[in-house]
Amino acid sequence: MSQPSLLARADFDSLIRALAARGYRVLGPRVRSGSIVFDEISGAADLSAGFISVQEPGSYRLEDSGNGRYFDYVHGPESLKRFLFAPKETLWTVSAGGEVSFKETLPDLRPLAVIGARACDLAGVSVQDRTFLAGQHSNYTDPYYACRRENLFIVAVNCTRSAATCFCVSMNTGPRARAGYDLALTELDEAFLVEAGSEQGETLLADLPLKPARDVDETAATQAIAAAADSQTRRLDTTDIQALLFSNLEHPRWDDVAERCLSCANCTMVCPTCFCHSESDVMSLDGTASEHRREWSSCFTLQHGYIHGAQIRPQIRHRYRQWLTHKLAAWIEQFGASGCVGCGRCITWCPTGIDLIEEVNAIRATRIDTPAPFASLFPPG
């Protein structure tokens, strides 16, 4: 790829126009209902300029810093998940007009460009690729996910600020975007350092009014990203974490966290990698057709643990344990990577401020290391 270049802040509209001219629907960070979400933009004026997020366990608020920077907010509740793994969609339809007819309903998509993805979001996409695309960890490609993946152009932003709930450094996923993007930006005072990460990104650069980056610009970008990394105060100790969690399935901490957990599923909805879903068939009123639908679900719901007439996770302690051990331990065996990317959204958006790092630390500090029998994972309902 080419050397980094500089895009002047005053020329940021040219990036949005170049993407739109290539047929992309362009999304960027916008303020909606007190948080930052990805929404359609037509110019830089639509961006959430000047806003920063103040994030703590169970708390998120925006403040206007007045500095006019576009990407100091770190992140909101959204990752890239909904743009690839749709929250709700029809997978196929069946009709019976004389004979049974099956029709696959692949999405008819306009190419999508998202400006503002963070390194943790790219790590989340990498994890979901292992889940939904055929490869070393799967023999099957989900055509709905694959269709959206092929039509997604990602403009990543290297973080120059961290939220108090971020811990991507300890998960080795950020704050610098390393792979999985088409373009990566680092916001400086009066310009953006621009790097291409794909052929499509490289081609798009030709449409932008760029200037060669100087050594001082690259140094400023590197120092800003390093400062964001150094400011992170949370760290997940992943040492021997699989053995730690699997040998403490009956630790009393699961009861402790169950007293605070509302089982509301917020953590799984904002997680960039959670992929639990339910499927159902919906009949038409005249009974001649049906739709097979897929919809996001959560391992925190009672329905998700109902299998063959039995409830396998009847208590909140069982459901929280399932989520945490799968996320941090079983996922490694299943997909060769942790299911946690260190974005900290599950901490910020938990109504009671449960911090998975604190839960792991508590178990580590008082580990009992008594491997439970397999049956303990499936308590009687």
Side-chain angles (χ1 to χ4, degrees):
M1 295 298 157
S2 60
Q3 294 298 308
S5 303
L6 276 186
L7 177 67
R9 181 176 298 277
D11 291 328
F12 197 84
D13 274 337
S14 65
L15 171 61
I16 299 171
R17 287 197 302 268
L19 289 166
R22 291 169 184 270
Y24 288 102
R25 185 165 70 98
V26 185
L27 306 187
R30 303 189 71 168
V31 177
R32 290 283 186 269
S33 301
S35 65
I36 301 291
V37 299
F38 290 118
D39 202 352
E40 198 147 347
I41 57 174
S42 58
D46 294 331
L47 296 172
S48 51
F51 282 94
I52 61 172
S53 65
V54 179
Q55 304 189 40
E56 299 286 349
S59 173
Y60 178 99
R61 73 175 190 274
L62 293 178
E63 294 181 353
D64 189 350
S65 69
N67 66 13
R69 291 168 66 95
Y70 295 148
F71 301 105
D72 272 0
Y73 63 90
V74 185
H75 56 48
E78 286 194 306
S79 62
L80 297 174
K81 183 166 71 173
R82 75 176 169 100
F83 306 117
L84 297 170
F85 173 39
K88 184 177 183 178
E89 67 179 326
T90 297
L91 302 185
W92 64 77
T93 61
V94 177
S95 59
E99 60 181 20
V100 176
S101 175
F102 174 89
K103 182 181 180 182
E104 195 173 45
T105 55
L106 282 174
D108 182 16
L109 297 174
R110 178 182 172 190
L112 180 69
V114 179
I115 299 175
R118 306 301 173 134
C120 55
D121 298 329
L122 301 179
V125 171
S126 176
V127 170
Q128 292 229 310
D129 283 351
R130 297 177 183 224
T131 307
F132 289 103
L133 301 179
Q136 181 181 356
H137 303 283
S138 174
N139 294 322
Y140 174 73
T141 289
D142 182 296
Y144 310 90
Y145 180 94
C147 180
R148 293 185 173 90
R149 188 77 172 89
E150 291 172 3
N151 286 282
L152 179 63
F153 188 101
I154 300 175
V155 180
V157 173
N158 293 315
C159 288
T160 54
R161 288 186 69 253
S162 290
T165 49
C166 292
F167 57 100
C168 62
V169 173
S170 66
M171 302 308 292
N172 197 30
T173 57
R176 178 188 286 276
R178 299 168 189 158
Y181 58 83
D182 296 292
L183 293 178
L185 310 177
T186 305
E187 187 168 18
L188 306 175
D189 288 340
E190 299 299 332
F192 296 86
L193 191 76
V194 185
E195 300 167 86
S198 70
E199 291 185 9
Q200 293 90 336
E202 189 79 36
T203 301
L204 191 85
L205 290 182
D207 296 343
L208 304 181
L210 301 174
K211 296 179 180 178
R214 303 164 298 176
D215 289 345
V216 66
D217 300 318
E218 295 190 49
T219 299
T222 299
Q223 290 176 341
I225 297 167
D230 292 342
S231 70
Q232 291 188 12
T233 57
R234 277 182 162 74
R235 176 179 179 275
L236 177 62
D237 182 0
T238 58
T239 306
D240 196 28
I241 196 163
Q242 290 172 274
L244 171 71
L245 294 177
F246 287 145
S247 62
N248 285 276
L249 295 176
E250 297 304 324
H251 195 286
R253 187 71 182 190
W254 304 118
D255 293 311
D256 182 277
V257 71
E259 293 181 356
R260 291 172 279 130
C261 177
L262 304 178
S263 199
C264 67
N266 260 19
C267 53
T268 57
M269 294 297 107
V270 298
C271 176
T273 68
C274 281
F275 59 88
C276 285
H277 59 272
S278 62
E279 296 190 20
S280 60
D281 291 291
V282 181
M283 291 290 293
S284 63
L285 290 176
D286 62 6
T288 62
S290 69
E291 294 184 357
H292 189 80
R293 295 177 181 173
R294 177 168 66 184
E295 189 171 5
W296 286 6
S297 184
S298 171
C299 55
F300 277 90
T301 66
L302 272 174
Q303 295 89 338
H304 201 76
Y306 186 80
I307 299 176
H308 298 302
Q311 178 52 253
I312 63 172
R313 292 187 285 271
Q315 299 172 14
I316 291 178
R317 70 184 297 270
H318 303 137
R319 300 198 284 278
Y320 188 88
R321 184 181 66 184
Q322 156 67 23
W323 175 72
L324 195 69
T325 55
H326 188 210
K327 180 74 60 185
L328 300 181
W331 214 303
I332 297 173
E333 295 182 355
Q334 193 174 5
F335 298 111
S338 175
C340 177
V341 297
C343 68
R345 288 184 174 97
C346 61
I347 303 172
T348 297
W349 295 94
C350 173
T352 61
I354 294 173
D355 180 345
L356 82 169
I357 297 177
E358 289 184 6
E359 302 311 314
V360 172
N361 288 344
I363 292 172
R364 190 182 293 281
T366 56
R367 57 193 303 167
I368 56 177
D369 289 325
T370 54
F374 183 74
S376 70
L377 291 171
F378 304 96

